[in-house]
Amino acid sequence: MSDTGEIAAQGVLQTGDTRTFREAPLNLVVNNGSSVQVTIYGKLQRARGPGRATWFVDQR
């Protein structure tokens, strides 16, 4: 979700699929944090456990 509250993308990704977002600030929310790999500004983020997970991307 962007800082305006609009949903930028929604859906199910298949193994190997990627999504890239260029806007920030941004909230990333996934249903299963252990099933995704998140990279923010080139840095791999700490893995999350199963269940809902959220990452916040600050504006540079």
Side-chain angles (χ1 to χ4, degrees):
M1 185 179 326
S2 72
D3 64 335
T4 62
E6 74 181 68
I7 297 174
Q10 187 173 350
V12 177
L13 297 177
Q14 302 301 315
T15 300
D17 285 353
T18 62
R19 290 263 172 95
T20 302
F21 300 95
R22 305 242 181 252
E23 61 272 342
L26 178 77
N27 285 320
L28 171 65
V29 180
V30 298
N31 284 331
N32 185 351
S34 66
S35 67
V36 297
Q37 185 177 48
V38 176
T39 303
I40 299 175
Y41 297 127
K43 183 177 179 185
L44 183 62
Q45 302 300 297
R46 179 181 59 82
R48 304 286 171 95
R52 186 180 173 111
T54 302
W55 291 264
F56 181 73
V57 181
D58 285 318
Q59 192 167 15
R60 279 189 146 172

